[in-house]
Amino acid sequence: MSDIAEIFDYAANLMKDLEMFCQKPSLRLDGKVYELGFDMYKFVFNITNIIADKCREIPELREKKVILALDWSYRAENNIGKYDVFCSPFNVPITTTEGFVYAKDIDLVR
């Protein structure tokens, strides 16, 4: 999780309450049910690009068919940056498995 913190701004909150997040908590946000947590897309996208770059640097791997077949869009320079989310006390993002949600109506899921 500490490595994920390098690309996900709210990892400290997740790590602090990791046991709770393992129980798949959900909230109804503006009428739609969301599972609390984080969207792994950025993490998977970025780590894939980093691994592709590393494989291209390793002599034993760079000539492998799978590495040669990689599109050049798979490189770390195309990674999605880490963005701090600015908010006010009246507009706080809620971290969900579908990304940040800025909900006006928040209800417990029973």
Side-chain angles (χ1 to χ4, degrees), residues 17-25 36:
D17 297 321
L18 193 56
E19 184 62 34
M20 179 196 68
F21 284 102
C22 289
Q23 302 303 317
K24 295 185 156 193
L36 302 182

Side-chain angles (χ1 to χ4, degrees), residues 55 57 85 110:
C55 288
E57 295 171 3
V85 178
R110 301 184 200 278

Side-chain angles (χ1 to χ4, degrees), residues 73-101:
S73 64
Y74 291 100
R75 50 188 182 193
E77 71 183 45
N78 292 330
N79 278 359
I80 300 168
K82 180 178 177 181
Y83 300 105
D84 290 321
V85 178
F86 295 103
C87 58
S88 71
F90 305 106
N91 192 18
V92 177
I94 296 172
T95 57
T96 76
T97 57
E98 296 181 44
F100 292 110
V101 176

